[in-house]
Amino acid sequence: MHTTVGIIGGGPAGLLLSRLLHRAGVDCVVLESRDRAYVEQRQRAGILEQSTVDALREADAAERLDAEGLVHDGVELRWEGRAHRIDFPSLTGGRRVWVYAQTEVVKDLIALQTAAGAALHFGAQVRLVEGADTDRPTIHYTHEGQEKTLTCDYVVGCDGFHGVTRTAVPEGVRRTYERVYPYSWFGILADVAPSCDELIYAHSPRGFALHSMRSPEVSRLYLQVPNGTDPADWSDERIWDELDARFALDGWKLERGPITSRSVLPMRSSVTEPMRYGRVFLAGDAAHIVPPTGAKGLNLAAADVIVLARALIRRHTTGSTDLLDAYSDTCLRRVWRAEHFSYFMTTTLHTDPDQSAFDTRLQISQLDRISASPHAAAELAMNYAGLPLP
C-alpha cells in the first residue's frame, strides 16, 4: 500500500494533521498503536490557546468546542497570601484560551475523519521506519495479526518520545537537549464544581499548586510532590488539606468533593533537533516535551502540524518544497520560546528541594514584578495565550 503522507500516532497532533490534509485533498493514512476506546479516554492536557482553536475552527472541527469549551480571559497568580489576575485580552490584543480536554479534541477529530472516510487504523503497531533519506520511506507495522508495509512520499512521526519515528533519524544526526526536574505533579480529578472561574497558579513554601477544571462540574487540581511519590500514600483528606494550605487566601474557600482519579506526572523538558531528516518529520512529543506549567504541550504539537500541513499542501498544489525545507527551523524557533516560557513558569512557581532562602526571594521578586509591571504581565500573557503562528 502507498500513500502520500504516512502519519504515525493517532493523538491530537496526528489526527489534526490528517484532518487538515484530508480536507485539502492530500492522501494520508494514520497508524495508531492503541485501540480507539483507549485513545478516546487517554487523559492529557486541557488548555487550548488561541492559535489551536483557530485551526480547529478552520478545519470545521470546533462545533462542540465552541458549544462546551470554557473561555478563559486570564489566570490568577497567588503567593504570600496575595493574588494577582493576568488579563489576557487587554495584554495581548484580544487573545484568550479555552478549557477543553484533549480527550474531547481527539473524540471530535476521530468522529469527523471517520465520517469523511479518512484512513484511520487503530491497533496498528509500527515496528520500523526505514529509508528516511530516500524518495519512498517505508513504514513496517502489524495490524489485525498481519505484517504490513506502507510506502509513503513523506512520513510524520506523532508517536511521542518513545515512538519509533525518532529512531529513523540517525544518532549521528539527532541531538536531544534535556532537563529533568526534581519534583512531580500529583494530579486529581474531583466531582465538585471548580472553586474559581479561571486557573489559579499558587507559589507556596509548601510547594506549587494549580487549580484547573474540566467542566463546570469537574475540578482538576495538582500538587507539587517529590519524585517517586505513590498516590496511594495520600488519603483524600490529606490531599484536600494540602491544597487548602497552598491556596490559602483570606475570604476564599476551596470546595471539596469525591476524588475520582489520581496520578503522578514526572516533569522534564526535552527538545530533539532537527525535526526533519530526509522525508521523515517529527511533530509533537516525538520532537519536544515541556513541563505542563505553561500549558504548551498540546498547543506546540498543534502548531507543528499546522505548519507542516501548510507545507505539505503547498507541495501538493504547487510542487514547491520551500516550506517543507524550512519546517524544522520554523518550528524550532517556536519550540524554544515555549520551552523557555514553560521553564520560567516552572522554576518561578515551584520549590526546589535544595532551594535556598535567596532563591525564594528571587521567585517572590519575579512575582512582584509581574503584578506591578504591565510589560512583565504582557510577556506572560502573550506566551500563555500563545504567540501567533508565522
Side-chain angles (χ1 to χ4, degrees):
M1 184 165 62
H2 180 79
T3 188
T4 303
V5 182
I7 302 170
I8 304 174
L15 291 168
L16 178 56
L17 178 60
S18 170
R19 178 69 178 170
L20 295 171
L21 294 179
H22 187 80
R23 283 169 53 83
V26 180
D27 183 45
C28 60
V29 174
V30 176
L31 302 175
E32 164 57 43
S33 63
R34 301 283 192 165
D35 62 41
R36 177 173 176 174
Y38 179 91
V39 172
E40 291 186 337
Q41 295 300 318
R42 189 162 43 191
Q43 292 290 335
R44 292 292 188 272
I47 303 293
L48 305 182
E49 64 184 40
Q50 184 75 59
S51 294
T52 303
V53 171
D54 291 344
L56 289 168
R57 286 173 174 164
E58 183 180 344
D60 287 335
E63 181 178 351
R64 212 157 58 91
L65 164 63
D66 285 330
E68 302 175 17
L70 305 177
V71 181
H72 281 201
D73 284 341
V75 295
E76 181 180 300
L77 302 177
R78 287 190 185 179
W79 72 105
E80 293 192 323
R82 293 177 283 157
H84 179 75
R85 180 174 181 271
I86 306 294
D87 184 270
F88 294 156
S90 67
L91 294 166
T92 65
R95 299 175 75 78
R96 44 177 50 91
V97 300
W98 282 253
V99 174
Y100 191 68
Q102 175 174 313
T103 50
E104 304 309 310
V105 174
V106 167
K107 289 175 187 175
D108 294 343
L109 289 169
I110 289 176
L112 288 167
Q113 289 299 85
T114 300
L120 302 180
H121 299 300
F122 296 98
Q125 296 278 349
V126 176
R127 299 183 293 100
L128 174 69
V129 177
E130 65 177 1
D133 56 351
T134 70
D135 291 341
R136 184 161 287 200
T138 302
I139 302 172
H140 298 267
Y141 66 104
T142 304
H143 187 231
E144 297 177 342
Q146 295 184 342
E147 297 291 329
K148 299 184 178 182
T149 59
L150 177 66
T151 59
C152 316
D153 294 340
Y154 301 98
V155 173
V156 182
C158 301
D159 51 343
F161 183 85
H162 297 291
V164 302
T165 315
R166 291 177 75 252
T167 62
V169 182
E171 288 189 8
V173 176
R174 183 178 76 239
R175 182 170 182 181
T176 299
Y177 303 86
E178 189 170 32
R179 175 183 291 272
V180 178
Y181 296 88
Y183 35 71
S184 298
W185 273 17
F186 185 1
I188 65 165
L189 280 172
D191 284 340
V192 59
S195 304
C196 50
D197 295 325
E198 297 172 334
L199 275 66
I200 301 172
Y201 287 79
H203 174 282
S204 162
R206 305 172 69 97
F208 168 77
L210 170 62
H211 193 321
S212 183
M213 63 281 294
R214 280 293 178 263
S215 73
E217 298 81 29
V218 178
S219 295
R220 181 71 158 153
L221 302 104
Y222 299 92
L223 287 165
Q224 175 190 338
V225 294
N227 289 337
T229 292
D230 185 349
D233 292 340
W234 286 65
S235 67
D236 288 11
E237 183 179 16
R238 181 186 177 191
I239 293 170
W240 288 116
D241 286 348
E242 189 62 30
L243 287 164
D244 249 333
R246 298 190 192 187
F247 287 122
L249 186 69
D250 288 345
W252 185 83
K253 180 183 179 183
L254 177 65
E255 299 296 336
R256 303 186 179 203
I259 295 174
T260 60
S261 174
R262 61 182 73 198
S263 60
V264 171
L265 172 68
M267 299 176 67
R268 64 190 178 103
S269 301
S270 173
V271 179
T272 295
E273 298 183 355
M275 290 174 60
R276 176 198 180 173
Y277 176 74
R279 293 201 171 202
V280 171
F281 298 81
L282 305 180
D285 287 359
H288 43 72
I289 295 171
V290 291
T293 326
K296 294 294 104 181
L298 169 58
N299 294 295
L300 264 187
D304 289 347
V305 298
I306 292 166
V307 170
L308 186 53
R310 291 174 181 171
L312 289 165
I313 292 167
R314 181 176 175 86
R315 171 71 176 84
H316 177 72
T317 56
T318 71
S320 173
T321 63
D322 57 342
L323 296 184
L324 286 173
D325 296 338
Y327 169 76
S328 183
D329 290 341
T330 300
C331 288
L332 283 170
R333 283 192 291 271
R334 189 182 188 89
V335 166
W336 280 111
R337 176 86 298 277
E339 290 283 356
H340 183 269
F341 175 66
S342 300
Y343 170 81
F344 163 78
M345 290 287 286
T346 301
T347 56
T348 298
L349 292 165
H350 290 72
T351 302
D352 191 294
D354 298 323
Q355 187 162 308
S356 68
F358 182 87
D359 297 328
T360 301
R361 293 307 304 159
L362 289 178
Q363 291 176 317
I364 299 303
S365 174
Q366 182 61 59
L367 292 166
D368 288 344
R369 171 168 166 74
I370 292 169
S371 67
S373 166
H375 300 292
E379 177 72 9
L380 190 155
M382 284 296 296
N383 282 278
Y384 195 101
L387 301 172
L389 285 167

